[in-house]
């Protein structure tokens, strides 16, 4: 159970990267930058916590502009037991040395509609997670992701839910 661990890791890693590689440059700590925009599709399952396990699909668009070391992303997920969620937030990624293997963290506030599915306590839900994967020479990424959704205690009920998914991401050119 991840709770806010991945969001905290994104903040620590991103701010460390910012201080080391962005502050003191011509664009500054939070200067706008360019990266390739991409679209990703993930499929997997929610992990039993208090909810029943069930399939989930997730579509994400990563914008081509960065804010310092942070990317920006828009996501939408639909699940059999995990309702519908849409959100916008930040990403941070790094490659492991000069290899094609990468790690990416994300933290995204969003809106959740349970419908007849699992009640996460209220409509405002935060999604944070990690992806570990491989990027091909042409920019396609294949990764395994694990994330957590909860309302961070905004409501009386905060059961949270986790997802494990396989993600395929392609660059948009």
């Amino acid at each position: 159970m991840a709770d806010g661990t991945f969001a905290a890791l994104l903040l620590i890693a991103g701010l460390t990267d910012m201080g080391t590689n962005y502050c003191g440059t011509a664009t500054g700590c939070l200067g706008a930058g360019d990266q390739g925009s991409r679209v990703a599709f993930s499929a997997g399952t929610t992990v039993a916590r208090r909810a029943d396990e069930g399939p989930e699909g997730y579509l994400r668009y990563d914008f081509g502009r960065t804010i310092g070391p942070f990317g920006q992303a828009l996501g939408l997920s639909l699940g059999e037991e995990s309702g519908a969620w849409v959100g916008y937030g930040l990403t941070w990624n790094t490659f492991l040395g000069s290899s094609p293997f990468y790690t990416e963290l994300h933290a995204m506030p969003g809106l959740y509609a349970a419908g007849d599915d699992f009640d996460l306590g209220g409509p405002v839900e935060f999604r944070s997670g990690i992806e570990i994967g491989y990027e091909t020479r042409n920019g396609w990424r294949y990764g395994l992701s694990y994330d957590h959704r909860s309302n961070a205690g905004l409501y009386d009920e905060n059961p949270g839910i986790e997802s494990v998914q396989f993600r395929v991401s392609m660059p948009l050119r």
Side-chain angles (χ1 to χ4, degrees):
M1 293 184 232
D3 297 334
T5 303
F6 296 123
L9 285 174
L10 175 132
L11 187 62
I12 292 166
L15 291 177
T16 301
D17 186 15
M18 181 185 346
T20 304
N21 299 308
Y22 291 81
C23 295
T25 65
T27 58
C29 298
L30 293 173
D34 291 316
Q35 69 177 6
S37 59
R38 60 179 52 248
V39 65
F41 178 75
S42 307
T45 185
T46 55
V47 179
R49 189 170 185 181
R50 290 189 199 168
D52 293 331
E53 291 186 18
E56 180 181 51
Y58 183 54
L59 179 66
R60 192 173 93 184
Y61 175 75
D62 290 3
F63 293 86
R65 301 288 285 168
T66 60
I67 304 168
F70 300 104
Q72 303 171 69
L74 179 65
L76 167 69
S77 68
L78 300 171
E80 182 178 79
E81 295 296 330
S82 57
W85 175 89
V86 63
Y88 167 84
L90 299 177
T91 65
W92 178 84
N93 72 75
T94 187
F95 282 87
L96 306 176
S98 59
S99 78
F101 295 97
Y102 67 91
T103 299
E104 180 178 271
L105 297 165
H106 68 270
M108 305 169 73
L111 297 174
Y112 175 74
D116 292 333
D117 290 333
F118 188 63
D119 183 5
L120 287 174
V124 176
E125 299 291 331
F126 301 90
R127 186 174 199 140
S128 62
I130 187 168
E131 177 181 341
I132 298 171
Y134 177 85
E135 183 173 319
T136 66
R137 285 181 232 208
N138 61 2
W140 282 68
R141 288 183 172 183
Y142 303 92
L144 183 63
S145 70
Y146 176 82
D147 67 30
H148 171 78
R149 264 172 291 163
S150 73
N151 61 50
L154 292 176
Y155 310 105
D156 291 337
E157 294 293 319
N158 186 25
I161 194 168
E162 277 86 31
S163 299
V164 175
Q165 300 182 344
F166 178 73
R167 178 171 291 150
V168 176
S169 171
M170 65 176 229
L172 301 174
R173 299 177 193 204

